[in-house]
Amino acid sequence: FMLEVTSRALMGGDDATFLDRFALPLTIGTYEGEQVIESRGALLKVLRGVQDFLRRNNIDLIDRRTVDAEFLSPDKVLATHESRYLCKGQQIGEVKLCCGTIERFDGFWMITSNDYAVSDAPSLNRALLSRADIKQSPTDGDHTDMKIKEA
């Protein structure tokens, strides 16, 4: 359910629904580092960066599926999901893995942390870490950041 709601909100530009699914503070980690998001404004900056990455790379669908989930307590789940980024039905880049925690607050499930394993898209890692200080790669947007996956 959480993957479906956040994917639809991310791709459809429904900022409020997307932001409401994340608890603050939120920890985001990638191979390039980690950050703690403490405000909706900072989370919106990450959202905008990811949406920009998707637009530049012509991603029109994200196929996300749960790989594993384990209750750590009645109100906390550790879950891993994989994402496939698609452009006109073609998979772009490698499958991306994410391991995160989801916690229940007053009956409402919210994401409290996400660690992303993205090795083939440095500009996506920069977006996830709000690294606007790093200039966009000249290859961003022409699928050289993420190659079309051969079937």
Side-chain angles (χ1 to χ4, degrees), residues 31-86:
Y31 289 140
E32 295 183 14
E34 181 178 278
Q35 74 167 326
V36 177
I37 304 289
E38 297 189 11
S39 71
R40 284 177 67 93
L43 182 55
L44 184 60
K45 182 178 178 182
V46 173
L47 173 61
R48 290 288 182 260
V50 172
Q51 288 171 327
D52 186 53
F53 166 83
L54 297 172
R55 198 171 18 261
R56 284 193 326 268
N57 285 282
N58 300 310
I59 305 301
D60 54 23
L61 180 67
I62 304 174
D63 179 21
R64 300 193 311 168
R65 299 173 189 191
T66 300
V67 175
D68 188 48
E70 173 186 354
F71 275 90
L72 302 177
S73 75
D75 295 313
K76 187 173 187 175
V77 175
L78 178 65
T80 301
H81 73 269
E82 59 185 21
S83 298
R84 288 174 175 75
Y85 289 49
L86 303 165

Side-chain angles (χ1 to χ4, degrees), residues 106-145:
D106 297 323
F108 191 72
W109 289 95
M110 301 177 79
I111 300 162
T112 55
S113 72
N114 274 335
D115 289 312
Y116 296 88
V118 178
S119 61
D120 66 337
S123 60
L124 178 55
N125 284 321
R126 288 192 303 271
L128 290 165
L129 295 176
S130 300
R131 298 291 301 273
D133 57 312
I134 300 175
K135 296 205 180 344
Q136 176 177 318
S137 164
T139 60
D140 287 351
D142 63 6
H143 296 307
T144 52
D145 207 16

